[in-house]
mmCIF file of all heavy atoms in Angstrom:
data_model
loop_
_atom_site.group_PDB
_atom_site.id
_atom_site.type_symbol
_atom_site.label_atom_id
_atom_site.label_comp_id
_atom_site.label_asym_id
_atom_site.label_seq_id
_atom_site.Cartn_x
_atom_site.Cartn_y
_atom_site.Cartn_z
ATOM 1 N N ALA A 407 36.768 10.493 10.068
ATOM 2 C CA ALA A 407 37.254 9.125 9.911
ATOM 3 C C ALA A 407 36.275 8.242 9.162
ATOM 4 O O ALA A 407 36.660 7.385 8.400
ATOM 5 C CB ALA A 407 37.532 8.529 11.296
ATOM 6 N N GLY A 408 34.992 8.467 9.382
ATOM 7 C CA GLY A 408 34.020 7.583 8.768
ATOM 8 C C GLY A 408 33.520 8.042 7.425
ATOM 9 O O GLY A 408 33.214 7.235 6.575
ATOM 10 N N HIS A 409 33.427 9.338 7.174
ATOM 11 C CA HIS A 409 32.762 9.805 5.977
ATOM 12 C C HIS A 409 33.639 10.722 5.126
ATOM 13 O O HIS A 409 33.171 11.295 4.150
ATOM 14 C CB HIS A 409 31.476 10.569 6.345
ATOM 15 C CG HIS A 409 30.519 9.746 7.144
ATOM 16 N ND1 HIS A 409 29.857 8.665 6.617
ATOM 17 C CD2 HIS A 409 30.134 9.831 8.449
ATOM 18 C CE1 HIS A 409 29.078 8.123 7.549
ATOM 19 N NE2 HIS A 409 29.233 8.804 8.657
ATOM 20 N N GLY A 410 34.884 10.913 5.472
ATOM 21 C CA GLY A 410 35.692 11.896 4.766
ATOM 22 C C GLY A 410 35.482 13.252 5.401
ATOM 23 O O GLY A 410 34.657 13.430 6.291
ATOM 24 N N ALA A 411 36.240 14.225 4.946
ATOM 25 C CA ALA A 411 36.130 15.565 5.526
ATOM 26 C C ALA A 411 34.727 16.109 5.339
ATOM 27 O O ALA A 411 34.124 15.950 4.279
ATOM 28 C CB ALA A 411 37.147 16.489 4.858
ATOM 29 N N PRO A 412 34.143 16.739 6.370
ATOM 30 C CA PRO A 412 32.805 17.304 6.236
ATOM 31 C C PRO A 412 32.756 18.318 5.086
ATOM 32 O O PRO A 412 33.693 19.091 4.898
ATOM 33 C CB PRO A 412 32.574 17.987 7.582
ATOM 34 C CG PRO A 412 33.530 17.326 8.516
ATOM 35 C CD PRO A 412 34.712 16.946 7.700
ATOM 36 N N ARG A 413 31.671 18.280 4.337
ATOM 37 C CA ARG A 413 31.517 19.174 3.192
ATOM 38 C C ARG A 413 30.939 20.522 3.638
ATOM 39 O O ARG A 413 30.308 20.641 4.689
ATOM 40 C CB ARG A 413 30.624 18.528 2.140
ATOM 41 C CG ARG A 413 31.179 17.207 1.604
ATOM 42 C CD ARG A 413 32.458 17.401 0.805
ATOM 43 N NE ARG A 413 33.080 16.144 0.418
ATOM 44 C CZ ARG A 413 32.812 15.491 -0.723
ATOM 45 N NH1 ARG A 413 31.907 15.961 -1.555
ATOM 46 N NH2 ARG A 413 33.442 14.360 -0.994
ATOM 47 N N ARG A 414 31.125 21.503 2.760
ATOM 48 C CA ARG A 414 30.684 22.869 3.074
ATOM 49 C C ARG A 414 29.162 22.992 3.063
ATOM 50 O O ARG A 414 28.578 23.754 3.838
ATOM 51 C CB ARG A 414 31.294 23.820 2.037
ATOM 52 C CG ARG A 414 31.105 25.290 2.340
ATOM 53 C CD ARG A 414 31.907 26.142 1.373
ATOM 54 N NE ARG A 414 31.357 26.088 0.033
ATOM 55 C CZ ARG A 414 30.372 26.900 -0.395
ATOM 56 N NH1 ARG A 414 29.832 27.771 0.425
ATOM 57 N NH2 ARG A 414 29.922 26.811 -1.622
ATOM 58 N N ILE A 415 28.510 22.243 2.158
ATOM 59 C CA ILE A 415 27.043 22.286 2.030
ATOM 60 C C ILE A 415 26.482 20.926 2.395
ATOM 61 O O ILE A 415 26.925 19.903 1.863
ATOM 62 C CB ILE A 415 26.632 22.656 0.586
ATOM 63 C CG1 ILE A 415 27.243 23.995 0.187
ATOM 64 C CG2 ILE A 415 25.114 22.693 0.455
ATOM 65 C CD1 ILE A 415 27.076 24.332 -1.288
ATOM 66 N N VAL A 416 25.515 20.901 3.298
ATOM 67 C CA VAL A 416 24.894 19.632 3.716
ATOM 68 C C VAL A 416 23.396 19.697 3.414
ATOM 69 O O VAL A 416 22.713 20.656 3.794
ATOM 70 C CB VAL A 416 25.119 19.364 5.216
ATOM 71 C CG1 VAL A 416 24.394 18.086 5.642
ATOM 72 C CG2 VAL A 416 26.604 19.244 5.520
ATOM 73 N N ILE A 417 22.903 18.660 2.727
ATOM 74 C CA ILE A 417 21.465 18.545 2.451
ATOM 75 C C ILE A 417 20.894 17.489 3.391
ATOM 76 O O ILE A 417 21.277 16.316 3.337
ATOM 77 C CB ILE A 417 21.210 18.141 0.984
ATOM 78 C CG1 ILE A 417 21.774 19.203 0.032
ATOM 79 C CG2 ILE A 417 19.719 17.956 0.736
ATOM 80 C CD1 ILE A 417 21.657 18.823 -1.435
ATOM 81 N N LEU A 418 20.003 17.910 4.282
ATOM 82 C CA LEU A 418 19.383 16.998 5.249
ATOM 83 C C LEU A 418 18.074 16.452 4.680
ATOM 84 O O LEU A 418 17.108 17.189 4.500
ATOM 85 C CB LEU A 418 19.093 17.730 6.563
ATOM 86 C CG LEU A 418 20.296 18.221 7.368
ATOM 87 C CD1 LEU A 418 19.829 18.828 8.678
ATOM 88 C CD2 LEU A 418 21.266 17.100 7.628
ATOM 89 N N GLY A 419 18.064 15.163 4.384
ATOM 90 C CA GLY A 419 16.875 14.557 3.782
ATOM 91 C C GLY A 419 16.893 14.749 2.284
ATOM 92 O O GLY A 419 17.251 15.820 1.785
#
Side-chain angles (χ1 to χ4, degrees):
H409 302 292
R413 300 293 173 90
R414 189 172 70 86
I415 303 171
V416 177
I417 299 176
L418 294 184

